[in-house]
Amino acid sequence: MRLTCTVNGTEQLVDDVWEGESLLYVLRERMGLPGSKNACEQGECGSCTVYLDGLPVCACLVAAGQAEGREVGTVEGLAAGGELHPVQQAFLDAGAVQCGFCTPGLLVATDDLVGRALAEGRRPADAEIREALAGNLCRCTGYEKVLDAVRLAADRMAEEAR
Amino acid sequence: MEFLQPTTWEEAVETKAAHPDAVPIAGGTDVMVAVNFGRLRPARLLDLTRVPDLQQWDTEDGVVRLGAGVPYARVIGELGDRLPGLAMAARTIGSPQIRNRGTVGGNLATASPAGDAHPALLAADAEVEVASVRGTRRIPVADFYTGVKRSALADDELVAAVRITPPSGPQQYSKIGTRNAMVIAVAAFGLALHPDRRAVGTGIGSAAPTPRRAPAAEEFLAGELDGLWDSRAELPPATAARFGELVAGAAAPIDDVRGTARYRVHALSVMARRTLTWAWAEYRKGETRCA
Amino acid sequence: MSTPTRSPSGAPSHLTGPGGGRVGDDAARPDGVLKVRGEFAYGSDLWMDDMLWGVTLRSPHPYARIRSVDVGPALAVPGVHAVLTSDDVPGSKTYGLELADQPVLAVDVVRYQGEPVALVAADHPETARRAAARIAVDYEVWEPVTDAREALGHPHWNRVHETEAPVTELSRESAHLHPEGNLVRHVKVRKGDPDATADVVVVGEYEVGMQDQAFLGPESGLAVPAEDGGVELYVATQWLHVDQRQICAALGMPPERVRLTLAGVGGAFGGREDLSMHVHACLLALHTGRPVKMSYNREESFFGHVHRHPATMRYEHGATRDGDLVYVRAQIYLDGGAYASSTPAVVGNAGTMGIGPYVVPNVHVDCYGAYTNNPPCGAMRGFGSVQTAFAYEAQMDALAAELGMDPVELRCRNAMEQGSPTPTGQVVDSPAPVAELLRRLQAMPLPPSPATGADADLRDMPGGVSNTTHGEGVRRGVGYAVAYKNVAFSEGFDDHSTARVRLEVVGGEPTVTVHTAAAEVGQGLVTVEQQIARTELGVDRVVVAPKDTAVGSAGSTSASRQTYVTGGAVKAACEAVRARVLERAAALTGWPVGDLRLFDGAVVAEGLQLPLAEVLGDDAVEETLEWRHRPTEALDPETGQGFAHVQYAFAAHRAVVDVDTELGLLKVVEMACTQDVGKAINPQAVVGQIQGGTAQGLGLAVMEEVLVRDGRVRNPSFTDYLIPTVLDMPPMRIEVLEYADPHAPYGLRGVGEAPNISSGPAVLAAIRQATGLPLTRVPVRPEHITRT
């Protein structure tokens, strides 16, 4: 089947999609956007987290056809041009990236969390960060530096917004 | 494989009638796992995410009609006050990403004994509204589950909505997992106190071939509470303990990779006792949530 | 030659990164920007226009004879380009890290569930999967051998202490899974009096379940047929050259025709030390003449790599009334599964370090590794030391309780220090601050108790938002554990690394290129390589060349060894380059070489600053060096004595755990860790290793287990193999000590494994304190705590 959708603001059209393919497979193998990672294919690890119409979801559990006409946002779309997004920069500065396989999904989930909190005029509390990121497994860091990164990103983004 | 995408409820029901073998997909949290691992190769997938009626909830005659396609995240965010037990259950489900996609309708259609919504629906005496070209019918949720991953849904039917009367008393939900987030229930328990009709609702998950109620426990507790509803007096610890035992007695669990049958029975007795203690403490404070 | 491409990312690329950062700095990762932009090319991201997808057909049975294989129906599927079996393996039919006992594709017999039987290449992964399902394999199913002691014909222990259970029918009868028998290795450690007696004796039996590395990036790679008839393999792995050796043998090709390049690695932790899809992809590529990509899904990954050995252990500790250890006797059984993998070395570690970092005059240890029909077990972070630490630290706590002594006191009293003898007759010849690590933990403040009842935040409670307790039944426990681990390869292995370092001026800027084959698996070795080059050559711009087999072996990214060994090689190569540059500068300027040094892109001396551009012109100075740590010795086969280990790493943990004693659910409240790292080359990365290692230890302690029954894996998914989430891993307090090891480059000590070893035992100690239960099996399950 044919699939058209908007990915990171760009219209995408792909043909010959097998109906059993996931949005993740289509992004990675058909649209040349391998940033979203495939680590479990059953919604347990969050490595494939993307925005679907503005909500973070596991792309592995979205049937390709369900994305028809929708807006998809991936890690590749976070940075504006050459500049890193503050969440990306914070993950680097905090040392939250080791093997990096979980990183794309964590970045999208963090962007969503921090964005929502700042929209409400606050920074996310630690317990809230933990609950919001519980669906993103990381095997390398033990999460401590991920938490550091989220706090750092929230601080910087709050500062920028002022 | 064919990918069918109805855009109206009528079209969806007609499509299902024309293709009873079509596998409905909403949040994909069950279906896509099976597809990804080659365990499911249906001739047709029936995508329900474009049917606007399914994405809505409203209130009719004091009853919440929750469209089958409303994701858990919205149950938590929009219905926490009206459906507290279901919202508590929803908060235990998967991750934020899963809760943004997974639906109560999907939980019902899959009818897994471990589905997290079931104990809350059972305790709240929910009704499942199912539809086909033949018409719409309402099934009391306790009658909906007919076996392991089997339900009363006919081949040509789709889950349209769940109907739940907002509680006249406190509700609780408790679930055992061997990790502090993102777990399939080892055992789960839902409790609803119904002071308006002097009744008690229960729901047991992951501890029998289907989700089920604990009728003996409900009757026992309703009897014990008979004199206490009005006085809001302290609940004797022995009553809570006995309630726990009766809830555990209603279970028929198995040993599996997630836990032993013995543990499940034990955990149910503890969860039932504790949730009753919390619910009764809330009731005594008069914090009854009204519809 | 064509290289795999994928818009917008390149194939494994030269990494430069943001620049800056020398030894001792928190230098930024050179691959960091690519990783946060989603542009870092992992094995599973590689792609070529005309590539095919390879899949593996695996045995559903743990033990069976293959009567026949019919690939015809699979070949008939449109889109299928090749279907291969063991008959298509041109070279050696078997491979292995230490013993070549594992078939590339099953030959006549399958010995574990998931053993590869056949391969398919097709134009879509779904086509390949469908075709694989059509391969008809006729199995004669045999009864699997699933218990390590029974496989060896050894009797079971009774759960009561003193007597042994009778030999069972099965153990006497058990068939040999391999021609040489079911014993992979038996290590004996004999020191002092084997019949020593003591005032106070504690006996315990312990069991550790099978842990999975659970790296997030499943096995994957791309094989590309080359014009010379050879093959290029881009693969996520831990040791390119040991892969190359085994692939060459299987393909019957010389190394110059089998070229490997490291693809991006999504974590490893030991699970990529053995081959997975390597030979398979090469076979399919050579057979079809097309590039072939293979990428496992999570379920296949559980069958596609070795796991941590499950262990059963029996320990007897004897001590004086004052708490001085008199003897330790231990029997340790490690289930190696169907093939040897690195079982011999794991047995060596478990045996030689199996009593912990304590001084004991009389030691009698027997450690066995056995073949069974369970999944093959091999390398995982901690490598034989993780299992025994659960046992010896439980014994220390039990002994302390028996003596009425503080558990930390007892440990400090018997702690190893510099100059102490080990059970294998080595003298610890560098700092061993075991007691200090423990005392520092003890001095740290304890975390406050969470609010309970109506004010409870469920996220602070055992069970989390699943709402199982508001404080009811919750008791807090505090536990300590200390562990040690050998760094680098032991027992006389020729452990070395190769580094090629080139200094030249590129675009007016002095530039160093570091080329090694050392696998970057996430730990940050590429950063360390840059830091060392910057430090030694005084040049900011350091490029890390792709990791490949065009340079000599770096050895494995395992055993906490790369910063030590490849770091040592890079340092040595830089020193050789520096010597040549300074000689050149001396010749140019007439200054004595001894007065010159490299600083900030120039040759400098008192009153001299000569830019490198002027010294080098258009020339490049390049040196390639093989570097070795000081040699170790094989163990004496009868006594286990010998200078077997080049360096030890020490770490200690304190765990604070809230236990819902009624439901058996846990909330680890805090983990504190002290570790001596000799010298922190990159302090931020060191802390990251401690945090990550701690999390994996915690996972094994309370939730992680590959459940195997009758040789079958029952939970090959992230739904049922649970690893800690951010709600399971608590905040940490960390103190890093830097007592230089005079034998090591910069005085550094390998970092990655030690914190993975002491973490779990500390958690167990805390749970025991909270519950009063012996808890002799890990992972601890709610059933154990509630005795249901």
Side-chain angles (χ1 to χ4, degrees):
Chain A
M1 65 181 178
R2 166 173 291 187
L3 174 67
T4 54
C5 59
T6 307
V7 182
N8 301 326
T10 304
E11 188 82 0
Q12 294 268 4
L13 184 153
V14 286
D15 279 315
D16 300 326
V17 174
W18 172 58
E19 292 74 10
E21 287 175 13
S22 65
L23 172 60
L24 179 63
Y25 183 90
V26 171
L27 288 169
R28 291 176 49 78
E29 308 299 340
R30 299 193 181 275
M31 295 179 175
L33 292 167
S36 309
K37 295 296 170 232
N38 177 348
C40 82
E41 281 186 288
Q42 56 188 140
E44 295 283 356
C45 76
S47 304
C48 65
T49 304
V50 300
Y51 284 114
L52 182 66
D53 282 352
L55 289 178
V57 304
C58 293
C60 69
L61 299 184
V62 177
Q66 292 185 306
E68 175 65 35
R70 308 281 194 208
E71 298 259 350
V72 179
T74 74
V75 66
E76 287 98 336
L78 281 181
E83 288 287 295
L84 291 183
H85 186 282
V87 170
Q88 293 172 316
Q89 192 62 53
F91 268 67
L92 290 180
D93 294 346
V97 178
Q98 286 190 34
C99 92
F101 210 80
C102 68
T103 304
L106 268 169
L107 292 172
V108 174
T110 301
D111 181 56
D112 173 67
L113 165 71
V114 174
R116 278 187 291 114
L118 294 182
E120 293 169 15
R122 58 190 183 79
R123 291 171 209 192
D126 277 9
E128 183 186 359
I129 300 173
R130 287 181 186 274
E131 193 173 355
L133 300 184
N136 291 84
L137 296 178
C138 171
R139 193 53 158 168
C140 296
T141 66
Y143 304 105
E144 280 280 89
K145 291 186 185 300
V146 171
L147 284 158
D148 292 343
V150 178
R151 293 183 203 111
L152 184 61
D155 287 348
R156 286 176 179 172
M157 287 165 75
E159 198 62 34
E160 267 178 32
R162 278 181 27 187
Chain B
M1 198 183 289
E2 218 182 325
F3 198 75
L4 307 170
Q5 293 192 286
T7 55
T8 65
W9 180 236
E10 292 69 32
E11 197 190 332
V13 170
E14 282 163 17
T15 309
K16 185 64 172 155
H19 304 291
D21 63 340
V23 173
I25 177 169
T29 57
D30 289 327
V31 173
M32 283 306 288
V33 174
V35 171
N36 289 342
F37 286 90
R39 291 190 276 268
L40 181 67
R41 285 288 178 270
R44 293 173 186 86
L45 282 175
L46 176 58
D47 176 27
L48 297 172
T49 58
R50 278 160 216 278
V51 178
D53 291 359
L54 292 176
Q55 321 297 326
Q56 291 160 14
W57 63 267
D58 51 28
T59 309
E60 292 170 4
D61 302 329
V63 175
V64 174
R65 183 181 180 280
L66 177 67
V70 176
Y72 296 115
R74 285 181 58 202
V75 173
I76 300 167
E78 299 167 23
L79 290 164
D81 53 344
R82 290 178 180 82
L83 307 177
L86 185 61
M88 291 169 91
R91 192 183 177 193
T92 73
I93 294 173
S95 61
Q97 292 91 324
I98 298 299
R99 297 194 286 272
N100 279 337
R101 293 287 290 170
T103 64
V104 177
N107 221 216
L108 283 164
T110 299
S112 159
D116 290 309
H118 308 315
L121 297 176
L122 284 164
D125 289 314
E127 282 187 325
V128 185
E129 185 185 314
V130 304
S132 70
V133 289
R134 296 177 287 121
T136 298
R137 59 184 181 126
R138 293 184 193 170
I139 307 168
V141 71
D143 299 335
F144 184 79
Y145 314 108
T146 57
V148 177
K149 296 195 176 183
R150 283 183 22 236
S151 72
L153 208 58
D155 280 351
D156 64 343
E157 283 180 322
L158 295 171
V159 179
V162 211
R163 309 174 70 91
I164 311 166
T165 305
S168 63
Q171 299 189 343
Q172 281 289 338
Y173 180 89
S174 184
K175 159 177 154 181
I176 302 283
T178 46
R179 178 164 75 176
N180 285 323
M182 280 221 304
V183 272
I184 294 185
V186 173
F189 180 68
L191 173 70
L193 300 183
H194 305 297
D196 55 340
R197 38 190 180 99
R198 312 260 150 161
V200 172
T202 60
I204 293 172
S206 282
T210 66
R212 59 164 67 164
R213 308 181 66 133
E218 292 176 7
E219 278 165 39
F220 162 78
L221 185 58
E224 294 293 306
L225 294 181
D226 205 29
L228 301 178
W229 291 115
D230 293 329
S231 70
R232 298 185 190 239
E234 211 165 315
L235 190 73
T239 303
R242 181 63 189 148
F243 176 67
E245 286 167 16
L246 289 169
V247 166
I254 55 165
D255 290 339
D256 66 14
V257 290
R258 295 173 194 146
T260 62
R262 266 185 75 193
Y263 174 72
R264 289 182 154 108
V265 168
H266 166 77
L268 275 172
S269 74
V270 176
M271 285 191 290
R273 167 160 52 80
R274 287 183 184 173
T275 51
L276 172 58
T277 309
W278 302 331
W280 190 253
E282 189 184 328
Y283 178 72
R284 292 187 70 207
K285 279 196 264 168
E287 288 173 1
T288 311
R289 290 187 180 86
C290 297
Chain C
M1 181 196 89
S2 43
T3 43
T5 54
R6 156 143 254 170
S7 173
S9 64
S13 52
H14 286 76
L15 297 169
T16 317
R22 297 178 186 224
V23 167
D25 296 341
D26 289 335
R29 303 181 66 97
D31 54 8
V33 171
L34 286 174
K35 284 180 174 177
V36 297
R37 295 179 75 100
E39 293 173 359
F40 186 75
Y42 295 89
S44 51
D45 299 335
L46 302 178
W47 196 84
M48 288 181 87
D49 271 336
D50 57 343
M51 74 180 191
L52 301 172
W53 292 82
V55 305
T56 315
L57 178 73
R58 295 174 181 273
S59 165
H61 307 293
Y63 200 21
R65 187 172 73 83
I66 297 175
R67 290 199 195 96
S68 66
V69 181
D70 181 4
V71 301
L75 272 171
V77 174
V80 168
H81 290 251
V83 182
L84 307 180
T85 66
S86 65
D87 292 343
D88 302 298
V89 178
S92 169
K93 306 277 186 193
T94 58
Y95 70 94
L97 280 173
E98 299 186 38
L99 305 165
D101 64 353
Q102 184 158 2
V104 173
L105 291 166
V107 183
D108 300 332
V109 175
V110 288
R111 293 180 184 82
Y112 72 99
Q113 182 204 19
E115 181 158 350
V117 174
L119 306 169
V120 178
D123 51 16
H124 189 285
E126 172 69 2
T127 311
R129 281 191 293 265
R130 256 187 257 154
R134 292 185 182 202
I135 299 171
V137 186
D138 183 17
Y139 293 103
E140 176 187 321
V141 177
W142 292 345
E143 182 83 6
V145 176
T146 59
D147 181 280
R149 275 172 300 184
E150 286 178 359
L152 297 176
H154 291 196
H156 276 272
W157 301 309
N158 274 334
R159 289 290 157 191
V160 287
H161 294 151
E162 301 307 330
T163 57
E164 291 183 333
V167 176
T168 66
E169 206 55 33
L170 179 58
S171 57
R172 202 178 295 120
E173 296 287 312
S174 86
H176 286 181
L177 300 178
H178 291 271
E180 304 297 312
N182 292 342
L183 178 68
V184 184
R185 189 180 183 194
H186 174 195
V187 162
K188 306 173 199 173
V189 178
R190 308 284 185 253
K191 177 185 177 186
D193 177 3
D195 302 315
T197 56
D199 304 338
V200 180
V201 174
V202 173
V203 180
E205 290 170 13
Y206 303 91
E207 208 177 317
V208 176
M210 183 186 290
Q211 189 180 21
D212 187 66
Q213 296 83 356
F215 41 72
L216 279 197
E219 293 82 348
S220 52
L222 178 71
V224 185
E227 279 159 19
D228 64 354
V231 63
E232 317 276 341
L233 178 67
Y234 300 82
V235 65
T237 189
Q238 286 180 233
W239 186 359
L240 289 164
H241 285 79
V242 86
D243 293 351
Q244 185 190 37
R245 186 194 81 207
Q246 296 170 90
I247 298 167
C248 285
L251 299 180
M253 277 190 192
E256 52 284 7
R257 283 170 63 199
V258 178
R259 297 168 288 266
L260 274 70
T261 302
L262 188 70
V265 182
F269 317 115
R272 297 187 209 266
E273 203 161 69
D274 294 76
L275 298 183
S276 58
M277 41 57 65
H278 306 53
V279 180
H280 299 164
C282 292
L283 286 171
L284 289 171
L286 291 167
H287 201 85
T288 60
R290 299 262 295 265
V292 173
K293 174 170 168 172
M294 293 187 82
S295 198
Y296 292 175
N297 67 21
R298 179 57 52 186
E299 180 176 303
E300 185 170 21
S301 180
F302 274 98
F303 295 102
H305 62 257
V306 299
H307 309 286
R308 187 191 298 291
H309 292 74
T312 49
M313 302 170 280
R314 187 176 196 276
Y315 274 70
E316 180 176 329
H317 279 59
T320 67
R321 292 236 170 267
D322 296 334
D324 292 326
L325 287 170
V326 177
Y327 69 86
V328 178
R329 296 198 264 274
Q331 282 174 282
I332 301 159
Y333 286 87
L334 299 172
D335 182 349
Y339 297 104
S341 178
S342 46
T343 293
V346 172
V347 169
N349 273 11
T352 57
M353 292 172 288
I355 69 160
Y358 303 111
V359 180
V360 184
N362 306 294
V363 178
H364 191 103
V365 175
D366 287 288
C367 183
Y368 305 90
Y371 285 121
T372 66
N373 292 113
N374 290 326
C377 289
M380 183 176 173
R381 194 177 195 171
F383 203 85
S385 297
V386 166
Q387 296 91 330
T388 55
F390 279 104
Y392 64 68
E393 287 299 82
Q395 284 287 103
M396 291 302 278
D397 283 339
L399 185 60
E402 195 68 31
L403 291 163
M405 220 170 153
D406 177 76
V408 170
E409 256 342 288
L410 177 67
R411 286 177 170 85
C412 291
R413 189 181 183 98
N414 293 285
M416 218 176 231
E417 55 192 24
Q418 185 162 2
S420 296
T422 71
T424 53
Q426 272 188 252
V427 172
V428 179
D429 60 4
S430 71
V434 176
E436 184 181 350
L437 293 174
L438 288 161
R439 300 252 187 246
R440 281 176 179 270
L441 283 174
Q442 218 173 15
M444 292 181 188
L446 283 161
S449 287
T452 55
D455 298 329
D457 184 332
L458 290 176
R459 294 168 293 200
D460 294 334
M461 296 283 135
V465 301
S466 290
N467 191 37
T468 49
T469 179
H470 300 170
E472 297 89 343
V474 176
R475 283 212 290 268
R476 173 163 291 187
V478 179
Y480 292 84
V482 62
Y484 77 143
K485 167 75 178 56
N486 58 330
V487 171
F489 284 12
S490 294
E491 299 187 49
F493 186 87
D494 178 23
D495 195 18
H496 66 273
S497 181
T498 315
R500 178 175 300 151
V501 172
R502 183 163 64 180
L503 176 60
E504 65 201 313
V505 177
V506 179
E509 190 180 356
T511 301
V512 180
T513 303
V514 178
H515 190 183
T516 73
E520 167 63 47
V521 299
Q523 82 280 37
L525 182 77
V526 285
T527 326
V528 165
E529 290 179 336
Q530 288 184 314
Q531 290 176 269
I532 290 173
R534 290 191 195 111
T535 302
E536 297 304 326
L537 296 174
V539 167
D540 252 7
R541 183 179 158 78
V542 178
V543 178
V544 179
K547 308 292 193 171
D548 57 29
T549 50
V551 65
S553 176
S556 181
T557 295
S558 61
S560 307
R561 67 180 280 288
Q562 283 296 21
T563 298
Y564 189 138
V565 187
T566 292
V570 171
K571 180 171 186 278
C574 286
E575 286 163 353
V577 167
R578 185 175 63 206
R580 279 178 53 195
V581 173
L582 294 183
E583 273 164 27
R584 227 172 140 125
L588 272 174
T589 61
W591 284 68
V593 167
D595 292 357
L596 299 175
R597 60 200 175 87
L598 291 178
F599 180 75
D600 205 9
V603 176
V604 296
E606 206 58 53
L608 171 79
Q609 182 162 20
L610 186 61
L612 277 172
E614 290 178 31
V615 181
L616 296 173
D618 292 334
D619 295 347
V621 176
E622 180 177 294
E623 288 286 345
T624 304
L625 278 185
E626 237 177 45
W627 189 86
R628 287 167 167 74
H629 59 69
R630 57 196 171 129
T632 58
E633 299 168 0
L635 297 173
D636 180 285
E638 290 311 312
T639 64
Q641 301 296 298
F643 184 87
H645 304 306
V646 70
Q647 184 188 62
Y648 296 110
F650 300 89
H653 274 89
R654 182 186 72 190
V656 180
V657 183
D658 283 348
V659 184
D660 182 338
T661 53
E662 257 190 309
L663 285 175
L665 302 180
L666 308 162
K667 174 76 182 175
V668 181
V669 177
E670 187 196 82
M671 296 294 290
C673 180
T674 50
Q675 183 170 346
D676 174 25
V677 305
K679 166 76 183 171
I681 303 297
N682 186 321
Q684 188 184 56
V686 164
V687 169
Q689 285 296 308
I690 293 172
Q691 291 163 336
T694 300
Q696 288 179 8
L698 181 156
L700 175 57
V702 303
M703 64 179 82
E704 291 185 32
E705 181 171 9
V706 179
L707 294 162
V708 184
R709 181 188 284 172
D710 302 329
R712 291 171 200 275
V713 177
R714 301 167 75 208
N715 58 339
S717 75
F718 274 178
T719 303
D720 284 311
Y721 184 88
L722 302 181
I723 66 173
T725 73
V726 67
L727 275 165
D728 299 286
M729 185 59 199
M732 287 195 69
R733 287 175 188 277
I734 294 170
E735 279 183 27
V736 173
L737 277 57
E738 295 183 273
Y739 292 121
D741 176 350
H743 310 285
Y746 305 109
L748 72 83
R749 229 174 257 285
V751 173
E753 290 172 290
N756 182 225
I757 301 168
S758 46
S759 151
V763 171
L764 258 290
I767 302 171
R768 284 191 199 101
Q769 200 201 44
T771 60
L773 297 170
L775 301 176
T776 55
R777 190 185 194 287
V778 290
V780 174
R781 296 186 55 89
E783 282 87 348
H784 302 147
I785 296 171
T786 56
R787 285 181 280 185
T788 53

